[in-house]
């Protein structure tokens, strides 16, 4: 029992095999796996993409076709925006004789200092 509990034979066997085996963290495969797990992280990926974009590079090559497609998308977007605006425009009309509109127009006129003084002198004189 004492022999089985002793660490001496175990330690001797470990010392003898120390030169024969590599620890797991020293193998090239393990190092490669560590690098892959780092690149799989979204955080690292997003930081690298941000750096690339700040330098003015893109993941797509700039070709005449790419610039033509970008321009077409922009025009399409503007065209759809204008069409949608024209459709919605009829639904949102404002009455010219609405009291709030009349008040806003009068307030706009009175913002001019000269008009304000004229109005003040008229009301004071009465």
């Amino acid at each position: 029992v004492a022999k089985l509990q002793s660490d001496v034979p175990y330690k001797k066997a470990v010392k003898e095999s120390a030169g024969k085996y590599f620890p797991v963290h020293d193998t090239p495969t393990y190092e490669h796996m560590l690098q892959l797990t780092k690149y799989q992280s979204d955080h690292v990926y997003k930081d690298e993409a941000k750096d690339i974009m700040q330098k003015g590079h893109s993941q797509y090559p700039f070709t005449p076709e790419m610039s033509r497609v970008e321009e077409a998308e922009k025009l399409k977007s503007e065209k759809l925006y204008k069409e949608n605006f024209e459709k919605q425009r009829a639904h949102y009309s404002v009455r010219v004789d609405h009291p709030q509109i009349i008040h806003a127009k009068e307030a706009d006129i009175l913002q001019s200092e000269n008009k304000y003084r004229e109005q003040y002198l008229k009301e004071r004189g009465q």
Side-chain angles (χ1 to χ4, degrees):
V1 176
K3 186 177 182 183
L4 292 176
Q5 291 177 349
S6 173
D7 285 341
V8 174
Y10 171 75
K11 288 181 181 179
K12 183 179 180 184
V14 170
K15 284 182 182 179
E16 287 175 0
S17 66
K20 296 179 184 177
Y21 303 104
F22 292 104
V24 175
H25 62 278
D26 286 343
T27 62
T29 306
Y30 182 75
E31 295 292 329
H32 180 67
M33 291 298 169
L34 279 179
Q35 288 178 349
L36 289 178
T37 56
K38 288 179 185 175
Y39 283 112
Q40 285 177 345
S41 168
D42 281 344
H43 182 68
V44 172
Y45 172 75
K46 288 179 182 177
D47 286 345
E48 287 179 0
K50 189 177 182 182
D51 291 340
I52 289 170
M53 294 305 276
Q54 285 176 350
K55 291 178 183 175
H57 301 292
S58 174
Q59 64 184 11
Y60 301 111
F62 290 107
T63 62
E65 182 65 16
M66 287 296 294
S67 60
R68 187 191 67 76
V69 168
E70 287 177 4
E71 187 65 27
E73 286 293 324
K74 186 192 291 185
L75 292 174
K76 178 182 171 188
S77 175
E78 288 177 11
K79 182 179 178 184
L80 290 176
Y81 175 77
K82 288 178 182 177
E83 286 177 5
N84 192 19
F85 171 74
E86 292 299 327
K87 288 178 187 175
Q88 298 294 330
R89 186 178 182 178
H91 297 288
Y92 298 105
S93 61
V94 180
R95 292 186 357 224
V96 180
D97 61 339
H98 194 274
Q100 290 179 342
I101 300 296
I102 295 171
H103 175 71
K105 286 181 180 179
E106 289 174 356
D108 186 43
I109 292 170
L110 292 178
Q111 283 182 345
S112 166
E113 179 120 5
N114 294 336
K115 296 288 184 180
Y116 176 78
R117 284 189 182 173
E118 288 176 14
Q119 181 73 19
Y120 173 74
L121 291 175
K122 264 190 212 177
E123 289 177 3
R124 190 173 148 209
Q126 290 180 354

